[in-house]
Amino acid sequence: MKLFNITYILAFISVLGLNAQQMPAAKQSEAVSILGATAHIGNGEIIENSLIIFEDGKITKVGDAAAAASQAKGEIINAQGKHIYPGFIAPNATLGLVEIDAVRATDDEDEIGEMLPHIRSLIAYNAESQVTETMRPNGVLLGQIAPRGGFISGTSSIVQFDAWNWEDAAVKTDDGLHINWPNSVRRGRWWMGEDPGIKPSKEYQENIIKLKSFFAEAKAYLAGDRKESNLPYLAMESVFNGDKKVYIHVNGEKEILDVIQFKKDEKLDDLVIVGAYNALKVADELKANNIGVLTGRPHSLPNQDDDDYDLPYKLAAELSKKGILVGIEGSGSMERMNSRNLPFYAGTAAAYGLDKEEALKLITSNTAKILGIDEFAGTLEEGKDATLFISEGDALDMRTNILTDAFIQGRKINLDTRQTKLWKRYMEKYERQEAEE
């Protein structure tokens, strides 16, 4: 009986091992020099024949290989004919918060309640998520893990995708507060006998008053003696003193204008709009108030019948041309699995009005600036983290985004996932069939 139990336990552990995420890479131990690749810096610049050197997890040299090849040291990677990029950044993601939608025990993306500024998504982040692992073969190496639900959803944090646990993963903790702005219109509830058309929402102004009241109450509490502990109010202190950004999820034209007024009333210096479907209609106001935008995924259908058929495809490009700081986020249906398509969202923006290097900025330097991590991420520059990858071709094109090497903070990561293993397995199957025929 004892032997049976031991055998069962070993078998169970072996199954877990097969399904667990790749083991995090060891700390960088020697310098790495990448020679000859076309370097896409992430700020609009390109170095055709580049030399990139990094040590102790930091980039120490970015230059032209023809002039500086003699400076190469440590492990030398010959990347002639290939391309090197900074790691792509997925903002407003729920990666690591939900593993299987149908299994409630694996779903930690939201909490019960309306006003939840004290909820921290980071402590629920699962660093061993198999879904998160699949981001890496496409070059998505960093992400902002954001909560969902409620009026005020809680606080996001930014992580890198090669870690033992959430403490190791965090690169910026509690970076911003997420607010779901109410809608000024709603669809009639046909099941209650209402006209199914769109009509003004009677609760819209009430909900805005509710939000403003919460802000006022939190300020009053923080200005008082604080004798009684109130976690939601205490969590607002970092918002009021500017340590946290405010991310407001909003799409409608009227709603965006109301958000701009809310920013002024509450003196919120660092506010970002997420979603922003109708932002183009109020682009001048956004520019005048220095508000950054994370547009929704381009691979979507128009929301209204009279919208341009290609509005979702070109929105990021049109806003960028207006001088607005723009990034791309991918929330929505199957958002965790679809987050791996982030580079192809940027590729779509390039196909609909942006220069290719400008489109790259939507998922590198622009997003880094919006999230407040541009000091160490988003571009290939000396002094920044060596979070980067080498691709056989254009990383914004799904046909040529084929990674050969990837590094997170200088650590060479494993690009194998359950999906890549299955792909190789079935490719071998069909190759055998062709050989037999």
Side-chain angles (χ1 to χ4, degrees):
M1 186 67 178
K2 183 177 181 181
L3 179 61
F4 173 79
N5 288 338
I6 293 173
T7 304
Y8 179 81
I9 291 170
L10 290 174
F12 180 70
I13 291 172
S14 67
V15 171
L16 286 179
L18 288 172
N19 289 313
Q21 188 187 40
Q22 294 292 341
M23 184 178 294
K27 185 177 180 181
Q28 184 181 5
S29 58
E30 67 171 327
V32 175
S33 301
I34 302 173
L35 196 62
T38 298
H40 302 264
I41 305 302
N43 59 4
E45 299 176 12
I46 296 177
I47 301 176
E48 295 290 349
N49 179 27
S50 68
L51 171 64
I52 309 288
I53 304 174
F54 51 94
E55 301 177 68
D56 298 322
K58 296 289 184 180
I59 298 173
T60 57
K61 177 70 178 179
V62 178
D64 189 291
S70 61
Q71 298 178 29
K73 56 183 175 178
E75 178 188 358
I76 298 177
I77 299 175
N78 184 352
Q80 285 283 346
K82 298 179 181 179
H83 299 256
I84 183 169
Y85 294 86
F88 299 151
I89 308 166
N92 186 40
T94 53
L95 292 163
L97 298 183
V98 184
E99 195 67 7
I100 304 172
D101 290 302
V103 180
R104 183 64 185 89
T106 72
D107 188 340
D108 290 315
E109 67 180 341
D110 61 20
E111 294 289 339
I112 296 172
E114 283 193 330
M115 304 296 183
L116 306 170
H118 56 299
I119 296 299
R120 304 175 66 219
S121 63
L122 180 62
I123 60 174
Y125 176 70
N126 174 19
E128 295 201 9
S129 166
Q130 288 188 26
V131 180
T132 300
E133 184 182 67
T134 65
M135 304 300 116
R136 305 189 307 188
N138 278 3
V140 182
L141 306 181
L142 295 165
Q144 180 195 44
I145 309 306
R148 297 284 188 262
F151 206 157
I152 298 179
S153 301
T155 299
S156 59
S157 290
I158 300 163
V159 302
Q160 49 84 10
F161 295 148
D162 180 59
W164 292 101
N165 49 48
W166 64 263
E167 291 98 332
D168 293 339
V171 296
K172 185 172 185 179
T173 60
D174 304 326
D175 70 291
L177 183 74
H178 290 255
I179 298 174
N180 296 306
W181 196 260
N183 289 321
S184 64
V185 297
R186 67 176 181 84
R187 291 188 179 275
R189 297 166 290 185
W190 58 266
W191 60 92
M192 296 183 66
E194 297 178 355
D195 180 356
I198 296 174
K199 59 187 68 178
S201 172
K202 297 178 182 178
E203 296 81 21
Y204 180 63
Q205 290 301 326
E206 294 176 7
N207 287 327
I208 293 178
I209 291 171
K210 186 187 296 186
L211 180 62
K212 289 183 176 181
S213 295
F214 180 82
F215 269 63
E217 291 164 5
K219 289 176 181 177
Y221 170 85
L222 294 170
D225 55 27
R226 309 188 191 186
K227 286 183 179 179
E228 294 184 7
S229 180
N230 188 305
L231 292 180
Y233 291 162
L234 286 169
M236 294 297 293
E237 186 168 23
S238 54
V239 174
F240 298 143
N241 62 24
D243 288 341
K244 281 182 190 173
K245 291 175 178 279
V246 176
Y247 297 89
I248 297 188
H249 300 241
V250 60
N251 285 300
E253 177 183 359
K254 171 178 171 52
E255 288 86 342
I256 293 174
L257 290 174
D258 288 341
V259 166
I260 294 173
Q261 188 58 50
F262 179 76
K263 175 185 186 293
K264 296 175 181 178
D265 294 342
E266 300 297 334
K267 297 179 174 57
L268 302 174
D269 294 331
D270 207 342
L271 185 144
V272 177
I273 286 181
V274 181
Y277 181 83
N278 284 303
L280 197 54
K281 297 177 180 179
V282 291
D284 292 340
E285 289 82 356
L286 291 171
K287 171 66 176 175
N289 287 276
N290 194 31
I291 295 176
V293 169
L294 292 172
T295 64
R297 65 172 76 162
H299 297 173
S300 303
L301 294 172
N303 286 352
Q304 282 93 38
D305 292 341
D306 57 350
D307 287 338
D308 290 349
Y309 75 93
D310 57 355
L311 177 60
Y313 298 161
K314 67 182 181 180
L315 179 58
E318 296 300 319
L319 289 173
S320 296
K321 292 174 184 177
K322 295 282 187 178
I324 296 170
L325 185 63
V326 182
I328 296 179
E329 58 95 19
S331 61
S333 176
M334 296 185 67
E335 63 181 77
R336 286 166 293 283
M337 287 63 79
N338 278 320
S339 292
R340 70 174 71 93
N341 290 324
L342 184 68
F344 314 134
Y345 296 159
T348 297
Y352 281 81
L354 274 185
D355 173 80
K356 184 63 71 70
E357 297 307 310
E358 288 298 309
L360 177 64
K361 290 164 65 174
L362 299 174
I363 56 175
T364 54
S365 59
N366 282 11
T367 297
K369 290 175 184 177
I370 289 171
L371 302 185
I373 59 172
D374 51 307
E375 288 186 2
F376 60 85
T379 55
L380 300 174
E381 295 182 278
E382 294 176 12
K384 293 194 175 184
D385 286 355
T387 299
L388 49 89
F389 65 89
I390 302 170
S391 174
E392 290 186 4
D394 180 358
L396 304 191
D397 186 334
M398 65 178 66
R399 298 167 299 180
T400 54
N401 180 318
I402 303 172
L403 272 63
T404 59
D405 301 273
F407 302 83
I408 293 180
Q409 296 171 332
R411 305 185 305 275
K412 186 172 184 177
I413 64 173
N414 193 324
L415 294 172
D416 284 337
T417 70
R418 185 168 181 271
Q419 290 183 336
T420 59
K421 289 175 182 176
L422 287 172
W423 170 67
K424 291 175 183 177
R425 175 182 174 181
Y426 285 99
M427 281 297 293
E428 183 176 344
K429 172 188 174 182
Y430 291 112
E431 287 172 358
R432 287 181 185 177
Q433 287 180 346
E434 289 180 1
E436 292 171 358
E437 292 173 357

